[in-house]
Amino acid sequence: MPELPEVETIKRVIEPQIQGRSIENIFIRQPAVIAHPATEEFHSQLIGQIISRMERRGKFLVFLLDSGDRMILHLRMTGCLLLTSADLPEEPHTHLTFQLTGGRQLRYSDTRRFGRFWFLKKGETDTFSGIKKLGKEPFDPEFSSEYLMERLGKRKKSIKECLLEQKVIAGIGNIYSDEILFAARIHPARSASSLTLGEWQRLAAAIPERLSFFIAKNEISAEEYLSSKGKEYRNTPFLQVYGRKGSLCPICGECLQRMVIGGRSSVFCPCCQKL
DNA sequence: CCTACTGTTACGGC
DNA sequence: AGCCGTAACAGTAG
């Protein structure tokens, strides 16, 4: 489910509710979601730790602990975090529950079970999660058209596939790559090396603009987030192309088309985004 | 029954 | 080395 705007939303909802709380216990129902270290150690190392804050990097969530240790989470396709009182019925596919002080529980559910947790000691080098391989954050002051041209200017493959490369830009997935390319009026199948200077500039502007737009549209209270089980994102009605094959382009009225690029479904306007 | 799916990685081939 | 395409992960939804 989650790309950068959703992961940011989850961070904003969850962080204020867990800050300063300590982990009293952890119930591990599905050890497969723990990537590192071994289940027993993951469990024993985290008990008693106090959560100081949360950070987002690309699509990763990082829980910073008072000790300097940290826990990293990637939600992949269907991972979901809920902060609840202990008496609420569990969601199906709840694999991990953190019992926190004050009778609160941080629950991790994940239908397809692709999501992963990592625990790292203070100062331990993160060779596990993949965070270190990420490219620039879209909101990094150094993120620019020059950066994109340098990293992608000679690439033969489609610009759509390039936008999905986490080692170049952190956080863009299949939904927002389509939204960004529509906003920048660039056909998703265009070879990256064929983009003009003006197109690189439009693209570099559209990336942070679209992502911050959708983060703003996602804004939700802790109560609403919980009652919707963390599953409803309010920005969906604002998507202009993703999932709208066959509807009319909001700009020119042309019929939106779908094609498969790099194995991923891609929707675009054949009139606004010329090949 | 069959296909598609908002993410990422491993692996074989070039 | 680095790029490319595919399979795999596991389950639900249409």
Side-chain angles (χ1 to χ4, degrees):
Chain A
M1 189 121 75
E3 302 180 28
L4 186 152
E6 289 70 45
V7 178
E8 180 64 28
T9 303
I10 293 166
K11 185 217 157 213
R12 291 183 187 187
V13 169
I14 300 290
E15 183 184 32
Q17 305 186 75
I18 62 173
Q19 237 164 356
R21 295 189 191 268
S22 75
I23 300 169
E24 292 178 339
N25 204 354
I26 311 173
F27 308 109
I28 302 172
R29 187 164 302 166
Q30 180 49 266
V33 300
I34 300 167
H36 174 86
T39 314
E40 289 304 308
E41 200 184 341
F42 182 89
H43 184 269
S44 62
Q45 291 277 4
L46 276 163
I47 302 285
Q49 297 245 26
I50 297 164
I51 301 164
S52 53
R53 57 197 179 87
M54 283 173 76
E55 285 178 353
R56 180 196 57 75
R57 176 80 171 94
K59 301 173 198 171
F60 287 88
L61 285 169
V62 184
F63 298 77
L64 299 162
L65 307 165
D66 273 7
S67 61
D69 299 347
R70 61 202 188 280
M71 181 176 77
I72 299 169
L73 168 61
H74 196 300
L75 302 162
R76 296 278 177 97
M77 296 284 265
T78 54
C80 182
L81 282 177
L82 284 185
L83 202 284
T84 170
S85 63
D87 51 3
L88 213 76
E90 257 181 15
E91 285 300 287
H93 307 287
T94 296
H95 305 309
L96 226 51
T97 297
F98 298 87
Q99 182 70 48
L100 306 179
T101 40
R104 309 293 286 167
Q105 290 189 342
L106 179 66
R107 296 176 183 169
Y108 178 71
S109 61
D110 187 344
T111 312
R112 292 173 73 179
R113 224 190 288 164
F114 292 169
R116 288 297 178 266
F117 283 83
W118 297 263
F119 170 83
L120 293 161
K121 294 295 289 176
K122 180 180 185 178
E124 185 180 359
T125 310
D126 181 8
T127 55
F128 309 100
S129 72
I131 284 192
K132 288 188 81 170
K133 294 182 193 161
L134 291 178
K136 280 209 193 309
E137 275 298 313
F139 305 121
D140 185 314
E142 287 176 28
F143 182 84
S144 64
S145 57
E146 288 81 9
Y147 172 74
L148 290 180
M149 288 170 68
E150 181 206 322
R151 293 295 302 269
L152 302 173
K154 290 181 178 158
R155 299 288 296 275
K156 292 281 179 285
K157 76 162 138 173
S158 72
I159 188 62
K160 155 101 179 190
E161 291 171 273
C162 291
L163 290 183
L164 295 174
E165 288 189 17
Q166 303 301 302
K167 66 184 175 193
V168 180
I169 312 160
I172 299 174
N174 201 33
I175 295 177
Y176 298 113
S177 61
D178 280 7
E179 296 298 316
I180 287 162
L181 288 167
F182 176 74
R185 308 196 306 281
I186 298 168
H187 192 291
R190 287 271 304 282
S191 161
S193 60
S194 77
L195 267 61
T196 65
L197 178 61
E199 287 170 333
W200 284 117
Q201 289 170 343
R202 292 210 302 272
L203 187 58
I207 289 169
E209 187 283 320
R210 283 290 83 189
L211 294 174
S212 51
F213 172 83
F214 286 110
I215 290 171
K217 293 298 184 196
N218 264 355
E219 191 173 336
I220 189 168
S221 69
E223 293 72 27
E224 281 182 289
Y225 178 86
L226 182 58
S227 63
S228 71
K229 312 283 171 50
K231 282 176 183 144
E232 275 169 37
Y233 291 98
R234 321 175 112 201
N235 70 20
T236 318
F238 298 93
L239 295 173
Q240 296 189 293
V241 287
Y242 180 83
R244 298 194 189 279
K245 176 191 71 164
S247 349
L248 303 182
C249 170
I251 302 297
C252 75
E254 188 71 50
C255 188
L256 298 177
Q257 286 183 8
R258 173 186 181 272
M259 68 188 287
V260 175
I261 300 169
R264 314 299 300 276
S265 173
S266 310
V267 183
F268 62 98
C269 171
C271 174
C272 298
Q273 298 163 273
K274 293 251 195 285
L275 195 54

